């Protein structure tokens, strides 16, 4: 039994894979919901464990697209944990050493305007890195939000970021061997719309959807993007409906992990699709490595994405 569990954990982590020299790949920079782990102002068992054991900590959900052939690195989302996440990127290109690197990344793709996904842009501003014309890819509505609201508007007016509109449904070549298609997903869109990303590499197609409402609300283009992928990193905010005493998780909108596993069971079982959960809320018992929820996920062929994990493209 222990051997089986060990094999499942190794498979889930994907640690055996090391990308070929020139093949692009994804680097998981964070897997926690916007509040992080430990979560701000929380003393639940998972947050307390993370405060006392660095190995239990998780950064806020983000991934990087790494292109070794050009040395370029792109972020999907700019989180409040951006400083530490930049430190985890592999060296590439002509990035500065021995001083502040004014071009620490080659672009940022934004999914939407919720706290964990764009507040890190502030670190590219005058008070910190002070970048020059850093490409920031966003939907027209998200770009308008940044242009029309301070302090984000100052990043644009000072030329620290260069907004590039990337409408949902329109693919674009990001870099050598990497093609990205944003696609609309339903979510709480108070300030901007929300997108996931289909990321096509030389060998694999990966869908990244850290935030979404229930699967039943998905549009046909979004369903098609997932159907065309062989790996998916998807919203795993909550495992079950009873995680937040006094709150109805149905009003928050995220699909439950148990619902996701039921929906994609056949695809995972057949080997057509590999599914990893990200964006886990601190209330989620799947954060406990040896817990029943984690064992249930692994037993069904799914996995929880891990900070630092690499996924080939």
């Amino acid at each position: 039994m222990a051997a089986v569990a060990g094999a499942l954990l190794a498979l889930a982590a994907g640690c055996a894979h090391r990308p070929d020299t020139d093949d692009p790949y994804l680097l998981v920079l964070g897997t926690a919901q916007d509040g992080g782990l430990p979560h701000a102002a929380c003393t639940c068992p998972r947050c307390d464990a993370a405060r006392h054991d660095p190995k239990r900590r998780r950064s806020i959900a983000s991934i990087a697209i790494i292109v070794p052939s050009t040395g370029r690195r792109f972020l999907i989302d700019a989180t409040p944990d951006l400083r530490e996440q930049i430190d985890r990127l592999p060296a590439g290109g002509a990035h500065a050493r021995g001083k502040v690197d004014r071009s620490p990344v080659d672009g940022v793709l934004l999914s939407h305007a919720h706290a964990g996904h764009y507040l890190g842009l502030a670190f590219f501003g005058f008070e910190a890195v002070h970048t020059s014309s850093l490409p920031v890819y966003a939907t027209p509505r998200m770009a308008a939000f940044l242009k029309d609201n301070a302090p984000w508007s100052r990043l644009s007016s000072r030329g620290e970021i260069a907004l590039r509109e990337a409408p949902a449904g329109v693919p674009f070549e990001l870099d050598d061997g990497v093609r990205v298609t944003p696609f609309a997903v339903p979510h709480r869109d108070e300030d901007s719309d929300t997108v996931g990303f289909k990321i096509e590499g030389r060998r694999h197609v990966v869908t990244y959807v850290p935030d979404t409402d229930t699967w039943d609300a998905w549009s046909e283009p979004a369903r098609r993007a997932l159907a065309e992928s062989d790996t998916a990193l998807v919203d795993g905010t909550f495992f079950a409906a009873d995680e937040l005493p006094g709150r109805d998780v149905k009003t928050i909108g995220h699909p439950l992990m148990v619902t996701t596993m039921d929906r994609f069971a056949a695809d995972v079982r057949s080997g057509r699709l590999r599914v990893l959960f990200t964006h886990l809320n601190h209330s989620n018992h799947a954060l406990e490595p040896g817990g029943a929820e984690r064992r249930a996920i692994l037993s069904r062929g799914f996995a929880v994405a891990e900070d630092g994990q690499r996924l080939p493209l």
Side-chain angles (χ1 to χ4, degrees):
M1 191 70 177
V4 172
L8 286 169
L9 287 169
L11 177 64
C15 295
H17 172 78
R18 288 295 179 269
D20 294 335
T21 304
D22 290 330
D23 279 352
Y25 63 95
L26 302 181
L27 177 63
V28 179
L29 296 176
T31 52
Q33 182 268 353
D34 300 38
L37 186 75
H39 190 280
C42 181
T43 56
C44 76
R46 286 160 298 284
C47 291
D48 269 355
R51 286 192 180 91
H52 292 93
D53 182 358
K55 294 179 181 178
R56 298 288 295 273
R57 295 174 186 169
R58 287 178 180 255
S59 296
I60 297 169
S62 173
I63 61 173
I65 301 172
I66 309 297
V67 189
S69 62
T70 62
R72 302 179 81 198
R73 301 91 54 86
F74 301 86
L75 301 179
I76 293 188
D77 286 335
T79 82
D81 292 330
L82 183 102
R83 292 178 304 157
E84 294 83 1
Q85 290 173 329
I86 285 178
D87 288 344
R88 297 173 198 159
L89 297 175
H95 297 280
R97 292 291 179 267
K99 59 182 180 179
V100 175
D101 186 349
R102 304 296 179 191
S103 302
V105 296
D106 298 285
V108 179
L109 294 75
L110 297 177
S111 63
H112 64 300
H114 284 166
H117 302 266
Y118 82 105
L119 293 188
L121 286 177
F123 290 108
F124 295 122
F126 186 79
E127 298 83 1
V129 178
H130 190 41
T131 54
S132 177
S133 299
L134 173 67
V136 173
Y137 301 85
T139 66
R141 185 179 170 196
M142 180 76 194
F145 171 77
L146 296 173
K147 284 188 288 189
D148 294 343
N149 292 277
W152 322 110
S153 56
R154 284 191 281 276
L155 295 173
S156 180
S157 64
R158 285 193 299 243
E160 289 158 336
I161 65 173
L163 290 168
R164 298 187 179 180
E165 291 190 358
V170 180
F172 62 94
E173 303 298 324
L174 184 66
D175 201 41
D176 181 35
V178 180
R179 179 182 174 93
V180 174
T181 305
F183 57 91
V185 296
H187 194 43
R188 294 177 291 110
D189 293 339
E190 306 94 335
D191 296 315
S192 79
D193 45 1
T194 303
V195 294
F197 296 96
K198 184 177 77 168
I199 308 160
E200 300 174 72
R202 295 171 182 168
R203 305 172 190 271
H204 298 280
V205 182
V206 180
T207 291
Y208 182 63
V209 187
D211 256 311
T212 182
D213 289 349
T214 61
W215 299 110
D216 290 339
W218 271 39
S219 67
E220 182 53 37
R223 296 176 194 274
R224 187 164 57 250
L226 190 55
E228 293 169 351
S229 302
D230 55 67
T231 302
L233 286 98
V234 300
D235 185 338
T237 306
F238 302 112
F239 184 86
D242 58 355
E243 283 178 26
L244 297 178
R247 296 187 68 183
D248 181 358
V249 297
K250 293 179 181 178
T251 66
I252 301 174
H254 301 274
L256 301 177
M257 279 184 171
V258 289
T259 303
T260 299
M261 289 191 289
D262 288 342
R263 189 178 191 96
F264 297 107
D267 290 319
V268 169
R269 194 164 49 244
S270 69
R272 189 202 72 76
L273 183 66
R274 181 186 184 195
V275 176
L276 301 95
F277 291 107
T278 188
H279 198 267
L280 278 69
N281 195 57
H282 68 112
S283 64
N284 194 328
H285 290 261
L287 288 166
E288 299 167 12
E293 290 80 4
R294 184 72 70 90
R295 293 197 303 272
I297 291 167
L298 295 175
S299 70
R300 298 189 66 176
F302 293 74
V304 173
E306 301 294 340
D307 291 19
Q309 186 170 359
R310 296 185 179 195
L311 300 171
L313 285 172

